[in-house]
């Protein structure tokens, strides 16, 4: 009876030892498979196996191995997150281990910065304006969209001179007419007065023709300067300025006409 009990105890101890050995060997086997999966690029499988080990054993090294799996396969964001998690949970790291983890974190952060810089679109230089765009620009303020307005200063000055000269010519024409009337009247005048009136009439006659000549020249110059000052861009436009002489019984005159 005692023999049988001893055999049962021995068998039970062997069974417990076998279970314990299997439980210890299982994580090692999964860790090896996880490393193989990460090396082959099967990141999801490797990380899942390591997550099972961390959940069953509480081993923070599984977090470190997950971070390395992500890092080796170019998944920077996940690797950086796992290293920081491992850094928070691993409380008994040696100085060398802590320095290595910090180096990995700095390298991953630098890689993130390079990726962000390469993803930023380049700033394009502004394109030069096309000829079509230049032609569509609005005209400068104060200028007509169809043409640049002519300068009216010179034509106006010449027109004023012409009007003044015409008025002078008319005045001297009237004076000539008045002197002629005095000389033709039956009133007796002295020889000296007669000669004075004749000279005055001659001078007035000269002045009247000078006035009319200046008026005509000023009118022509005004029309010419106005026409040259116009810059039409559409159809051709001409200045409508003219001088029309007028001759009557009482003298010679003229008419200056401006049309702007």
């Amino acid at each position: 009876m005692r023999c049988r009990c001893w055999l049962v105890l021995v068998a039970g101890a062997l069974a417990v030892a076998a279970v314990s050995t299997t439980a210890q060997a299982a994580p090692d086997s999964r860790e090896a498979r996880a490393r193989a999966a990460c090396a082959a690029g099967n990141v999801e499988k490797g990380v899942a196996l390591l997550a099972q080990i961390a959940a069953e054993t509480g081993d923070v090294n599984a977090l470190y191995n997950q971070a390395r799996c992500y890092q080796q396969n170019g998944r920077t964001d996940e690797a950086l997150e796992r290293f920081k998690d491992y850094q928070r949970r691993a409380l008994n790291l040696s100085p060398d281990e802590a320095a290595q983890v910090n180096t990995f974190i700095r390298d991953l952060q630098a890689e993130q910065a390079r990726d962000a810089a390469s993803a930023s679109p380049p700033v394009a230089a502004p394109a030069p304006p096309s000829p079509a765009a230049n032609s569509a620009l609005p005209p400068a303020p104060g200028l007509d969209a169809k043409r640049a307005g002519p300068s009216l200063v010179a034509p106006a000055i010449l027109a004023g001179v012409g009007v003044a000269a015409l008025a002078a010519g008319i005045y001297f024409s009237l004076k000539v007419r008045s002197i002629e009337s005095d000389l033709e009247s039956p009133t007796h005048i002295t020889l000296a007065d007669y000669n004075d009136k004749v000279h005055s009439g001659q001078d007035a006659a000269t002045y009247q023709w000078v006035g009319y000549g200046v008026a005509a020249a000023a009118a022509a110059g005004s029309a010419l300067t106005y026409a040259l000052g116009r810059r039409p861009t559409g159809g051709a436009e001409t200045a409508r300025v003219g001088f029309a002489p007028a001759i009557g019984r009482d003298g010679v005159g003229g008419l200056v006409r401006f049309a702007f």
Side-chain angles (χ1 to χ4, degrees):
M1 186 71 179
R2 288 180 180 176
C3 219
R4 289 182 179 178
C5 291
W6 183 81
L7 291 174
V8 171
L9 291 173
V10 172
L14 292 174
V16 171
V19 171
S20 177
T21 302
T22 304
Q24 292 177 357
D28 295 338
S29 176
R30 282 182 296 184
E31 184 175 349
R33 285 187 288 143
R35 290 180 179 175
C38 290
N42 194 351
V43 181
E44 304 300 335
K45 180 179 179 181
V47 170
L49 290 171
L50 293 169
Q52 291 177 4
I53 296 173
E56 293 176 4
T57 65
D59 187 4
V60 293
N61 288 327
L63 295 176
Y64 177 86
N65 291 330
Q66 284 182 328
R68 289 289 292 162
C69 182
Y70 282 128
Q71 185 183 22
Q72 292 169 356
N73 287 276
R75 295 172 62 168
T76 305
D77 295 338
E78 292 94 332
L80 185 59
E81 181 182 355
R82 286 295 190 277
F83 274 125
K84 289 182 178 180
D85 194 13
Y86 172 74
Q87 196 177 46
R88 286 193 298 268
R89 296 190 185 188
L91 303 178
N92 298 320
L93 291 178
S94 65
D96 292 340
E97 291 174 338
Q100 185 181 35
V101 172
N102 288 330
T103 300
F104 286 148
I105 290 176
R106 286 195 300 269
D107 292 344
L108 291 169
Q109 288 174 339
E111 189 173 352
Q112 276 186 332
R114 288 193 298 270
D115 292 342
S118 62
S120 300
V123 178
S130 62
N134 290 336
S135 63
L137 293 176
L143 294 180
D144 187 21
K146 293 183 178 179
R147 67 179 183 182
S151 175
L152 299 179
V153 177
I157 293 175
L158 290 174
V161 172
V163 171
L166 178 62
I170 294 174
Y171 167 77
F172 285 112
S173 294
L174 295 177
K175 188 174 182 180
V176 168
R177 182 60 181 169
S178 175
I179 292 174
E180 289 177 352
S181 298
D182 292 341
L183 293 176
E184 293 174 357
S185 64
T187 304
H188 295 285
I189 59 175
T190 64
L191 180 61
D193 290 339
Y194 180 84
N195 291 332
D196 289 338
K197 288 183 178 291
V198 170
H199 289 302
S200 297
Q202 291 175 346
D203 292 339
T206 301
Y207 294 150
Q208 77 174 353
W209 293 116
V210 170
Y212 294 144
V214 171
S222 176
L224 180 61
T225 54
Y226 178 78
L228 293 177
R230 298 183 68 87
R231 297 179 179 86
T233 57
E237 297 183 16
T238 57
R240 289 173 295 179
V241 180
F243 173 78
I247 302 175
R249 290 192 312 168
D250 296 333
V252 180
L255 175 64
V256 180
R257 183 177 61 180
F258 297 90
F260 300 99

